């Protein structure tokens, strides 16, 4: 009975990932089979927390997030939850010994989204760490499968990859973040007067993150290298599109990578992975 309950809960996290993100689903499917459900569980957890702060505007989001946090810590303590997302997540936290401080930092960043609209540099760095870098570190715990030395060696590249993904998301989602939520994550940037120089400085920062991240991806175990590399090439392709898009257009529409391109990237990555050429 317990095994059936566990499998069913993990399948719920897989379904959530598939419905919310085709790109991450493709990346996860490229991982070794034993790593897929754990990463689905992490994605389901962070996705639901993000959903609370981003979309539940007809409800008391603070109350919902407080309840989600309380239920998260209760699930971790009791090692069970009737919430499928939280039950799946606590299973993976315990199985892969994920540091609780990473969870604390993530939930703190989610809370920042309820009240913060503009960010100082230190607040921006704190938000990036909690909302993105720690998610990379949670996944790294899974990818290293208990190898603490490898985890410590790859911590910085994992953080930089998470940061790069988040910053690209910020550029991609400027319209919805600014128009619908009044958020400006980038310090000292005025989206009412967003210039090419503003955009260029942000892009240079992202390029440095991607450079460090790629060095780490190449050192990952083979079981996870292809899947993480696919997420990397998808985001770098999205980043390239953003780089070739004017500040004005970015403020007007959400930049996307067509599904046909995603499938091409998947095929190319699978070939490189089989040839051990990443």
């Amino acid at each position: 009975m317990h095994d059936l309950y566990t499998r069913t809960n993990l399948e719920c996290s897989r379904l959530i990932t598939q419905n919310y993100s085709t790109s991450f689903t493709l990346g996860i499917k490229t991982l070794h089979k034993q790593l897929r459900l754990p990463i689905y569980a992490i994605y389901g957890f962070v996705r639901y927390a993000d959903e609370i702060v981003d979309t539940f505007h007809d409800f008391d989001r603070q109350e919902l997030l407080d309840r989600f946090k309380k239920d998260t810590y209760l699930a971790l303590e009791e090692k069970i939850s009737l919430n499928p997302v939280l039950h799946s997540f606590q299973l993976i936290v315990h199985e892969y010994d994920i540091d609780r401080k990473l969870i604390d930092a993530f939930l703190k960043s989610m809370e920042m989204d309820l009240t913060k609209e503009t960010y100082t540099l230190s607040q921006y760095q704190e938000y990036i760490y909690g909302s993105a870098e720690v998610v990379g570190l949670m996944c790294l715990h899974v990818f290293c499968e208990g190898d603490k030395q490898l985890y410590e060696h790859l911590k910085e590249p994992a953080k930089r990859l998470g940061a790069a993904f988040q910053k690209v998301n910020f550029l991609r989602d400027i319209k919805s973040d600014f128009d619908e939520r009044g958020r400006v994550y980038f310090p000292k940037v005025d989206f009412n007067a967003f210039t090419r120089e503003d955009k260029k400085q942000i892009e240079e920062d992202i390029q440095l993150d991607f450079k460090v991240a790629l060095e780490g991806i190449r050192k990952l175990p083979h079981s996870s290298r292809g899947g993480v590399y696919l997420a990397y090439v998808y985001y770098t392709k999205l980043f390239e599109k953003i780089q070739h898009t004017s500040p004005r257009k970015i403020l007007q529409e959400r930049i996307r990578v067509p599904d046909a391109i995603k499938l091409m990237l998947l095929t190319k990555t699978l070939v490189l992975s089989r040839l051990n050429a990443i």
Side-chain angles (χ1 to χ4, degrees), residues 41-266:
I42 293 172
Y43 182 89
F45 171 74
V46 301
R47 179 70 262 168
Y48 264 31
D50 196 57
E51 189 78 351
I52 291 170
V53 300
D54 274 358
T55 63
F56 293 168
H57 299 289
D58 294 335
F59 302 90
D60 186 334
R61 293 178 298 150
Q62 182 68 66
E63 182 181 339
L64 290 175
L65 184 61
D66 287 345
R67 191 186 311 165
F68 186 80
K69 288 167 61 177
K70 180 182 178 181
D71 289 347
T72 295
Y73 289 120
L74 195 61
L76 291 170
E77 179 183 344
E78 297 182 344
K79 298 186 178 181
I80 192 169
S81 177
L82 299 182
N83 178 325
V85 168
L86 296 183
H87 186 69
S88 299
F89 183 64
Q90 68 82 20
L91 283 169
I92 302 312
V93 170
H94 289 111
E95 182 176 351
Y96 292 93
D97 195 23
I98 292 175
D99 190 340
R100 302 294 178 90
K101 291 180 181 178
L102 302 179
I103 302 167
D104 295 342
F106 171 75
L107 291 171
K108 185 176 180 181
S109 283
M110 292 301 96
E111 191 149 22
M112 291 172 75
D113 265 338
L114 293 177
T115 56
K116 295 296 296 179
E117 293 184 350
T118 59
Y119 287 74
T120 64
L121 178 59
S122 62
Q123 290 168 340
Y124 171 73
Q125 291 170 338
E126 180 183 16
Y127 182 83
I128 291 286
Y129 173 74
S131 67
E133 293 180 14
V134 301
V135 178
L137 294 176
M138 290 181 199
C139 293
L140 186 62
H141 272 284
V142 175
F143 299 151
C144 292
E145 298 185 83
D147 188 332
K148 299 294 186 182
Q149 186 175 355
L150 181 62
Y151 175 81
E152 290 298 324
H153 184 60
L154 296 181
K155 273 177 69 174
E156 185 60 25
K159 289 166 60 179
R160 298 292 285 270
L161 184 63
F165 286 174
Q166 184 68 294
K167 293 168 190 175
V168 170
N169 286 343
F170 288 164
L171 284 175
R172 179 196 64 190
D173 298 335
I174 282 177
K175 178 175 171 55
S176 59
D177 281 335
F178 185 55
D179 289 351
E180 298 171 18
R181 306 179 187 101
R183 293 180 192 157
V184 179
Y185 290 105
F186 299 112
K188 299 181 180 179
V189 172
D190 180 2
F191 286 148
N192 290 310
F194 189 43
T195 67
R196 289 188 181 274
E197 185 59 33
D198 292 331
K199 183 168 170 285
K200 183 179 178 182
Q201 288 182 2
I202 294 167
E203 289 167 350
E204 288 174 351
D205 181 45
I206 294 171
Q207 284 177 316
L208 288 174
D209 285 335
F210 273 133
K211 181 180 179 182
V212 175
L214 182 57
E215 295 170 1
I217 291 170
R218 289 173 171 154
K219 296 175 183 176
L220 282 169
H222 187 72
S223 58
S224 57
R225 193 183 310 144
V228 179
Y229 182 72
L230 177 60
Y232 165 86
V233 295
Y234 164 71
Y235 263 88
T236 52
K237 179 62 68 175
L238 176 59
F239 181 51
E240 286 173 11
K241 289 196 70 174
I242 289 171
Q243 285 179 297
H244 290 96
T245 304
S246 70
R248 181 183 176 187
K249 189 172 182 180
I250 283 179
L251 289 166
Q252 293 174 339
E253 63 182 69
R254 193 175 193 262
I255 308 302
R256 299 177 182 274
V257 175
D259 288 344
I261 299 296
K262 291 179 184 178
L263 289 173
M264 180 199 71
L265 295 174
L266 171 62

